[in-house]
Amino acid sequence: MSNLTLPKDNITIVLTRSILFGPVSVAPLLIFLYINGVVLFTLRSKPVFRETPRYVLLYNLIFSDTFQLAVGQLLYILAYVYVFMIRYLCVIIIMSAMLTTDISPYNLAVMSLERYVAVCFPLRHSAFVTAKNTGVSIAVVWAICGINTIIRIFMLILLESSPLDQYMLGFCAKETLYKQKLFYDFDKAFTGVTFTSVGIVILCSYFGVMTAAKSASSDKASTSKAKKTVVLHMIQLLLILSSTLFSPIVTAFSYKVDRPTLERIYYILFLCLVNLPRCLSGLIYGLRDQTIRPFLLYHLSFVGILMTEISPYNLAVMSLERYVAVCFPLRHSAIVTIKNTGV
């Protein structure tokens, strides 16, 4: 355990940096968590949202994205302040995150099919897309992803030799849990099947909507809106697919740069590849929907005012900390303490 113990001065520096720069690094994701939370609350606040299949599917999508975003944010904060955890706790967190990560693509496929039925079979839409059928489709999506998660748990138990009741020697992440090549082969296979099948479903839905748009009897406004929605699903699927590039890129840079540079690269990739696709669901769908938009804009105006008031002061304190570090290096540790930073 000696290699995990930091000198007192280093601990002070780490904690001071975490308190000063932590809010800046986590603030964007906290804002998006707030946005998703507002949309989720809105979708459960009125009977029309709870009983309409389209909104039920949207709730499932944003819920899974929000959960994955929250777990990713938690793991980033723990890594940022150098907190290690017991292995079995990390397994629970990582498996939960992987489960919700897998749900989003399949949910997009179901949402595209719902739009296809609404445009191509408008008279039978209410018979096909019922609350019961929507619940069954959501249950099937969770079952598929749950089976995949169970397989991964068994692979961890059977293939990895590290005890689950010991503290990890690294940060909690999928890469530190699984070291066998077989897992990554399985992960690539499942990811390939998922995105190929979902992509085919979304493309077929798009071409079906395009065909309906050429019909003289179709509702042009509804068809145009459905077409844009399906295109949005495809773009979002591609963004989620880009998150699979995160681990290979981080691994490649880990052999070429020092640790501080790697941490900055990790955060940028974590923000752009992993979290950005999850952040966009609540914002885009909330702003596009005429019913949800008033609730979202009202709450966004509140958080916008709050962030406008706080950010300048936090930046001023950060600037003062850098001034003391450069101009008074010998007194920096005495002036910039944990207590003073908290104050």
Side-chain angles (χ1 to χ4, degrees), residues 15-30:
L15 292 177
T16 302
R17 185 196 68 168
S18 301
I19 294 175
L20 285 175
F21 297 96
V24 176
S25 61
V26 303
L29 299 181
L30 292 179

PDB file of all heavy atoms in Angstrom, residues 15-30:
ATOM      1  N   LEU A  15      -5.572  18.197  -3.426  1.00  0.00           N
ATOM      2  CA  LEU A  15      -6.877  18.629  -2.928  1.00  0.00           C
ATOM      3  C   LEU A  15      -7.163  20.081  -3.292  1.00  0.00           C
ATOM      4  O   LEU A  15      -8.292  20.433  -3.636  1.00  0.00           O
ATOM      5  CB  LEU A  15      -6.940  18.433  -1.413  1.00  0.00           C
ATOM      6  CG  LEU A  15      -6.938  16.979  -0.924  1.00  0.00           C
ATOM      7  CD1 LEU A  15      -6.933  16.931   0.595  1.00  0.00           C
ATOM      8  CD2 LEU A  15      -8.139  16.229  -1.470  1.00  0.00           C
ATOM      9  N   THR A  16      -6.131  20.925  -3.205  1.00  0.00           N
ATOM     10  CA  THR A  16      -6.322  22.329  -3.573  1.00  0.00           C
ATOM     11  C   THR A  16      -6.690  22.453  -5.042  1.00  0.00           C
ATOM     12  O   THR A  16      -7.617  23.182  -5.422  1.00  0.00           O
ATOM     13  CB  THR A  16      -5.042  23.132  -3.288  1.00  0.00           C
ATOM     14  OG1 THR A  16      -4.722  23.012  -1.906  1.00  0.00           O
ATOM     15  CG2 THR A  16      -5.246  24.599  -3.638  1.00  0.00           C
ATOM     16  N   ARG A  17      -5.957  21.729  -5.893  1.00  0.00           N
ATOM     17  CA  ARG A  17      -6.273  21.756  -7.324  1.00  0.00           C
ATOM     18  C   ARG A  17      -7.681  21.240  -7.577  1.00  0.00           C
ATOM     19  O   ARG A  17      -8.416  21.782  -8.405  1.00  0.00           O
ATOM     20  CB  ARG A  17      -5.263  20.891  -8.084  1.00  0.00           C
ATOM     21  CG  ARG A  17      -5.434  20.963  -9.592  1.00  0.00           C
ATOM     22  CD  ARG A  17      -4.714  19.824 -10.291  1.00  0.00           C
ATOM     23  NE  ARG A  17      -5.339  18.540  -9.994  1.00  0.00           N
ATOM     24  CZ  ARG A  17      -5.058  17.416 -10.639  1.00  0.00           C
ATOM     25  NH1 ARG A  17      -4.152  17.411 -11.597  1.00  0.00           N
ATOM     26  NH2 ARG A  17      -5.659  16.294 -10.318  1.00  0.00           N
ATOM     27  N   SER A  18      -8.080  20.210  -6.854  1.00  0.00           N
ATOM     28  CA  SER A  18      -9.398  19.624  -7.052  1.00  0.00           C
ATOM     29  C   SER A  18     -10.500  20.611  -6.680  1.00  0.00           C
ATOM     30  O   SER A  18     -11.504  20.734  -7.370  1.00  0.00           O
ATOM     31  CB  SER A  18      -9.550  18.342  -6.223  1.00  0.00           C
ATOM     32  OG  SER A  18      -8.562  17.405  -6.586  1.00  0.00           O
ATOM     33  N   ILE A  19     -10.293  21.342  -5.552  1.00  0.00           N
ATOM     34  CA  ILE A  19     -11.320  22.282  -5.113  1.00  0.00           C
ATOM     35  C   ILE A  19     -11.415  23.469  -6.057  1.00  0.00           C
ATOM     36  O   ILE A  19     -12.500  23.968  -6.363  1.00  0.00           O
ATOM     37  CB  ILE A  19     -11.021  22.749  -3.670  1.00  0.00           C
ATOM     38  CG1 ILE A  19     -11.152  21.562  -2.704  1.00  0.00           C
ATOM     39  CG2 ILE A  19     -11.955  23.869  -3.256  1.00  0.00           C
ATOM     40  CD1 ILE A  19     -10.749  21.893  -1.278  1.00  0.00           C
ATOM     41  N   LEU A  20     -10.263  23.946  -6.560  1.00  0.00           N
ATOM     42  CA  LEU A  20     -10.262  25.126  -7.426  1.00  0.00           C
ATOM     43  C   LEU A  20     -10.726  24.818  -8.838  1.00  0.00           C
ATOM     44  O   LEU A  20     -11.579  25.511  -9.397  1.00  0.00           O
ATOM     45  CB  LEU A  20      -8.862  25.749  -7.467  1.00  0.00           C
ATOM     46  CG  LEU A  20      -8.432  26.527  -6.217  1.00  0.00           C
ATOM     47  CD1 LEU A  20      -6.999  26.975  -6.369  1.00  0.00           C
ATOM     48  CD2 LEU A  20      -9.348  27.723  -5.997  1.00  0.00           C
ATOM     49  N   PHE A  21     -10.170  23.762  -9.428  1.00  0.00           N
ATOM     50  CA  PHE A  21     -10.422  23.479 -10.827  1.00  0.00           C
ATOM     51  C   PHE A  21     -11.531  22.458 -11.036  1.00  0.00           C
ATOM     52  O   PHE A  21     -12.032  22.311 -12.143  1.00  0.00           O
ATOM     53  CB  PHE A  21      -9.134  23.000 -11.506  1.00  0.00           C
ATOM     54  CG  PHE A  21      -8.036  24.028 -11.515  1.00  0.00           C
ATOM     55  CD1 PHE A  21      -7.052  24.009 -10.546  1.00  0.00           C
ATOM     56  CD2 PHE A  21      -8.018  25.022 -12.468  1.00  0.00           C
ATOM     57  CE1 PHE A  21      -6.044  24.961 -10.546  1.00  0.00           C
ATOM     58  CE2 PHE A  21      -7.019  25.986 -12.475  1.00  0.00           C
ATOM     59  CZ  PHE A  21      -6.025  25.946 -11.495  1.00  0.00           C
ATOM     60  N   GLY A  22     -11.896  21.753  -9.964  1.00  0.00           N
ATOM     61  CA  GLY A  22     -12.973  20.781 -10.086  1.00  0.00           C
ATOM     62  C   GLY A  22     -14.280  21.366 -10.584  1.00  0.00           C
ATOM     63  O   GLY A  22     -14.891  20.842 -11.517  1.00  0.00           O
ATOM     64  N   PRO A  23     -14.751  22.492  -9.974  1.00  0.00           N
ATOM     65  CA  PRO A  23     -16.018  23.063 -10.451  1.00  0.00           C
ATOM     66  C   PRO A  23     -16.009  23.432 -11.918  1.00  0.00           C
ATOM     67  O   PRO A  23     -17.029  23.298 -12.606  1.00  0.00           O
ATOM     68  CB  PRO A  23     -16.178  24.314  -9.569  1.00  0.00           C
ATOM     69  CG  PRO A  23     -15.416  23.998  -8.329  1.00  0.00           C
ATOM     70  CD  PRO A  23     -14.245  23.167  -8.776  1.00  0.00           C
ATOM     71  N   VAL A  24     -14.856  23.899 -12.431  1.00  0.00           N
ATOM     72  CA  VAL A  24     -14.789  24.266 -13.843  1.00  0.00           C
ATOM     73  C   VAL A  24     -14.894  23.036 -14.734  1.00  0.00           C
ATOM     74  O   VAL A  24     -15.548  23.054 -15.778  1.00  0.00           O
ATOM     75  CB  VAL A  24     -13.470  25.028 -14.136  1.00  0.00           C
ATOM     76  CG1 VAL A  24     -13.336  25.322 -15.624  1.00  0.00           C
ATOM     77  CG2 VAL A  24     -13.437  26.316 -13.339  1.00  0.00           C
ATOM     78  N   SER A  25     -14.262  21.928 -14.324  1.00  0.00           N
ATOM     79  CA  SER A  25     -14.252  20.736 -15.165  1.00  0.00           C
ATOM     80  C   SER A  25     -15.585  19.996 -15.143  1.00  0.00           C
ATOM     81  O   SER A  25     -15.956  19.361 -16.133  1.00  0.00           O
ATOM     82  CB  SER A  25     -13.116  19.796 -14.734  1.00  0.00           C
ATOM     83  OG  SER A  25     -13.306  19.374 -13.399  1.00  0.00           O
ATOM     84  N   VAL A  26     -16.285  20.043 -14.003  1.00  0.00           N
ATOM     85  CA  VAL A  26     -17.538  19.287 -13.904  1.00  0.00           C
ATOM     86  C   VAL A  26     -18.758  20.132 -14.198  1.00  0.00           C
ATOM     87  O   VAL A  26     -19.852  19.587 -14.404  1.00  0.00           O
ATOM     88  CB  VAL A  26     -17.686  18.643 -12.506  1.00  0.00           C
ATOM     89  CG1 VAL A  26     -16.512  17.760 -12.184  1.00  0.00           C
ATOM     90  CG2 VAL A  26     -17.877  19.700 -11.421  1.00  0.00           C
ATOM     91  N   ALA A  27     -18.622  21.454 -14.226  1.00  0.00           N
ATOM     92  CA  ALA A  27     -19.784  22.333 -14.410  1.00  0.00           C
ATOM     93  C   ALA A  27     -20.561  22.049 -15.697  1.00  0.00           C
ATOM     94  O   ALA A  27     -21.797  21.991 -15.667  1.00  0.00           O
ATOM     95  CB  ALA A  27     -19.350  23.796 -14.364  1.00  0.00           C
ATOM     96  N   PRO A  28     -19.880  21.871 -16.868  1.00  0.00           N
ATOM     97  CA  PRO A  28     -20.661  21.605 -18.089  1.00  0.00           C
ATOM     98  C   PRO A  28     -21.528  20.360 -17.982  1.00  0.00           C
ATOM     99  O   PRO A  28     -22.696  20.373 -18.407  1.00  0.00           O
ATOM    100  CB  PRO A  28     -19.576  21.433 -19.175  1.00  0.00           C
ATOM    101  CG  PRO A  28     -18.391  22.152 -18.647  1.00  0.00           C
ATOM    102  CD  PRO A  28     -18.434  21.952 -17.166  1.00  0.00           C
ATOM    103  N   LEU A  29     -20.988  19.296 -17.404  1.00  0.00           N
ATOM    104  CA  LEU A  29     -21.753  18.061 -17.302  1.00  0.00           C
ATOM    105  C   LEU A  29     -22.870  18.185 -16.278  1.00  0.00           C
ATOM    106  O   LEU A  29     -23.949  17.609 -16.455  1.00  0.00           O
ATOM    107  CB  LEU A  29     -20.825  16.904 -16.938  1.00  0.00           C
ATOM    108  CG  LEU A  29     -19.724  16.624 -17.962  1.00  0.00           C
ATOM    109  CD1 LEU A  29     -18.872  15.445 -17.512  1.00  0.00           C
ATOM    110  CD2 LEU A  29     -20.305  16.336 -19.324  1.00  0.00           C
ATOM    111  N   LEU A  30     -22.642  18.932 -15.212  1.00  0.00           N
ATOM    112  CA  LEU A  30     -23.698  19.148 -14.233  1.00  0.00           C
ATOM    113  C   LEU A  30     -24.858  19.940 -14.842  1.00  0.00           C
ATOM    114  O   LEU A  30     -26.026  19.701 -14.519  1.00  0.00           O
ATOM    115  CB  LEU A  30     -23.139  19.876 -13.003  1.00  0.00           C
ATOM    116  CG  LEU A  30     -22.164  19.082 -12.136  1.00  0.00           C
ATOM    117  CD1 LEU A  30     -21.674  19.933 -10.965  1.00  0.00           C
ATOM    118  CD2 LEU A  30     -22.821  17.806 -11.619  1.00  0.00           C
TER     119      LEU A  30
END
